[in-house]
Amino acid sequence: MIPNWSCSQRKHITIICCQDICTKGQLTPPSGNNDGSFSISFNKLLLQKEELEQKHLHLLQIVESEKTAKWQYTQQCEELASEIKKLRAEKYEKMFAWNHFLYDITDFATYGNKRHNLVFQMVEAEEEYTEQMEILVSCFLRPFKMAASSKKPPCSHEDVNSIFLNSETVLFLHQIFLKGLTSRMESWPTLVLGDLFDMLLPMLSIYQEYVRNHHYSLQVLTECKQSSPFVALLNRLENKTACHGRSLETFLTYPMHQIPRYIITLHELLAHTPYDHVERKSLQNARQQLEDLSRQMHDEVSETENLRKNLAVERMIVEGCDILLDVNQVFVRQGSLIQLVDKPRGARSRLSATFGGKAASDREAVRQCFLFSNHLLLTTRQSDDDGRLNLVAQIGKIPLSDAVLIEDPSDQGAIDDDGLSVCSMSSGISESSGSGSGSGTSQLQNRDFKIILDIKSGGPQVIVHLVAPTMQVSLH
């Protein structure tokens, strides 16, 4: 606590202090010992004190500002340290990217030229295919939809849907895929395509529906062409400049070749892709899935076409044919053959005139034959020429599992080896006809063959002797 001194006391103490200071040589006392000289010295000391206090205050302010600056610099150092770590991490990333770029440069030097050319060709092919589908949709599908809604439609909406199927969906899918390919080309020479195929593959199931119904689509189109208004509209659309003279059938066939084209492209890409390439596995997976899809589509198309063919043949047969309703009955081929059967002696045969010889014991009958995987159908055409067929009595449906094929009827040993005799057949071929078989076979020029049928009901065995007009037509 500071004592409450009077002004005279303070002055006296100040004088004593000044004398003490002068005694120590710190201050030169003024001449004389009057109070005025000491009063002047006191005032100077007060001024010096105030200056020192101001300096002290200034120094305190400097210290505070330095502390603040120190704190700020500490914060900046911490921020710079984190920035250095970040830059160091970015440096490593850039070094990795540079190494990857150098790897790509090496890859390009080894495989890249051909590989990148294949990618460019794939993009060009995708652009061309997308353009073809756009023409199909804009120049054919939409005009036919509008025509089907008119007062006098040349075709129905059902016909339009059957002809064009899901063409718009296919177009939309490939527009997306082409956009992805185009964006990847901007990052050339580093091209990564595997994920694009991963995106495309799950949606390629729409091709199954298109391919499965393609044949039916062309069939409906053929039926619609029987209408004159439809043909007039179709000709007008096909004459558009964008079509370049191509028909509607041509545009409908383009999607059928797209999946095989992808498979070929992936085969070529993998042939020019290093084994340690980053996307080789994804490309291999895409190729495998496309091959599986293509195989499945082929099987479905084959089965569908086979069913349609079987039903078409079954509808032509007046009596019907239940065995053609079996899905395992696969159509092989069809053609006209001549069946040689008994006739009275001395009758003239047209076949003898055809082959320039005599076959007095035989007469011929034209058969429309249909060969399937399990059966051979022998039919005759009706006289009214309406395209309908009748199964030949008793031998119209020949199960192949119960039949024996004799490719060379002149070889008697072949028949004997099978334990069968031509003379015992219920077809009525006699020994006399067999005795002349050598000359007859030479006249037939190896165009004939025999089918020996074993009747399960216990009846006599049946032999069917057939002759092909040419070697190309022969079923065997």
Side-chain angles (χ1 to χ4, degrees), residues 123-133 246 261:
V123 174
E124 292 176 356
E126 190 69 22
E127 290 176 347
E128 181 181 0
Y129 176 66
T130 305
E131 180 182 356
Q132 292 166 351
M133 295 304 297
R246 291 171 289 184
R261 182 180 301 167

Side-chain angles (χ1 to χ4, degrees), residues 49-66:
K49 178 185 176 184
E50 291 176 357
E51 291 178 358
L52 291 174
E53 289 178 350
Q54 291 178 357
K55 289 181 179 180
H56 177 68
L57 181 61
H58 178 65
L59 290 174
L60 289 177
Q61 293 175 351
I62 292 175
V63 171
E64 291 296 329
S65 62
E66 290 295 328

Side-chain angles (χ1 to χ4, degrees), residues 53-243:
E53 289 178 350
Q54 291 178 357
K55 289 181 179 180
H56 177 68
L57 181 61
H58 178 65
L59 290 174
L60 289 177
Q61 293 175 351
I62 292 175
V63 171
E64 291 296 329
S65 62
E66 290 295 328
K67 288 181 179 180
T68 304
K70 176 184 177 183
W71 181 81
Q72 293 177 349
Y73 288 146
T74 303
Q75 294 293 324
Q76 290 180 2
C77 289
E78 293 177 355
E79 292 176 358
L80 289 174
S82 61
E83 187 70 19
I84 290 172
K85 291 181 180 179
K86 182 179 178 180
L87 291 174
R88 187 173 295 170
E90 291 180 355
K91 176 183 177 181
Y92 291 143
E93 291 179 0
K94 290 181 178 179
M95 289 177 62
F96 177 79
W98 177 252
N99 291 335
H100 185 67
F101 175 74
L102 291 178
Y103 174 81
D104 286 340
I105 293 295
T106 305
D107 179 25
F108 182 80
T110 307
Y111 300 94
N113 191 17
K114 181 65 176 178
R115 187 173 186 271
H116 285 70
N117 287 338
L118 290 172
V119 175
F120 295 147
Q121 293 174 9
M122 183 179 70
V123 174
E124 292 176 356
E126 190 69 22
E127 290 176 347
E128 181 181 0
Y129 176 66
T130 305
E131 180 182 356
Q132 292 166 351
M133 295 304 297
E134 288 175 350
I135 294 174
L136 175 63
V137 172
S138 61
C139 294
F140 292 99
L141 172 58
R142 291 170 184 168
F144 272 116
K145 279 187 174 181
M146 295 178 62
S149 302
S150 61
K151 293 183 178 179
K152 296 182 179 181
C155 58
S156 64
H157 283 286
E158 183 180 356
D159 292 335
V160 174
N161 293 333
S162 299
I163 293 173
F164 294 95
L165 304 173
N166 53 354
S167 302
E168 285 185 302
T169 308
V170 174
L171 171 61
F172 179 69
L173 170 63
H174 285 276
Q175 285 176 336
I176 297 176
F177 185 63
L178 177 61
K179 187 176 181 180
L181 282 177
T182 305
S183 63
R184 295 301 171 87
M185 296 302 294
E186 297 176 358
S187 61
W188 189 90
T190 303
L191 299 176
V192 180
L193 305 175
D195 58 336
L196 284 180
F197 280 100
D198 293 339
M199 179 271 297
L200 178 67
L201 287 172
M203 294 184 286
L204 287 181
S205 58
I206 62 175
Y207 272 94
Q208 289 180 279
E209 179 183 357
Y210 189 95
V211 174
R212 188 184 303 121
N213 295 283
H214 177 67
H215 182 77
Y216 179 69
S217 169
L218 298 181
Q219 182 179 344
V220 174
L221 177 60
T222 302
E223 294 174 356
C224 290
K225 284 185 176 182
Q226 306 300 321
S227 170
S228 299
F230 183 90
V231 173
L233 176 59
L234 179 61
N235 291 336
R236 187 168 70 251
L237 296 177
E238 289 180 345
N239 289 330
K240 288 185 176 181
T241 306
C243 296

Side-chain angles (χ1 to χ4, degrees), residues 325-393:
L325 303 180
D326 183 6
V327 295
N328 297 320
Q329 196 77 257
V330 180
F331 174 80
V332 179
R333 63 179 301 182
Q334 69 183 68
S336 297
L337 296 176
I338 300 174
Q339 181 185 2
L340 302 182
V341 294
D342 265 1
K343 75 171 185 176
R345 288 183 178 276
R348 179 71 176 172
S349 172
R350 291 176 297 170
L351 188 62
S352 63
T354 302
F355 293 103
K358 293 183 179 180
S361 63
D362 294 332
R363 67 181 176 87
E364 70 276 4
V366 178
R367 307 299 190 195
Q368 301 297 324
C369 302
F370 298 88
L371 179 62
F372 294 87
S373 58
N374 299 325
H375 286 79
L376 172 64
L377 300 185
L378 300 181
T379 64
T380 58
R381 193 174 299 278
Q382 290 186 339
S383 58
D384 53 4
D385 198 21
D386 62 350
R388 303 300 299 277
L389 302 172
N390 292 104
L391 290 172
V392 178

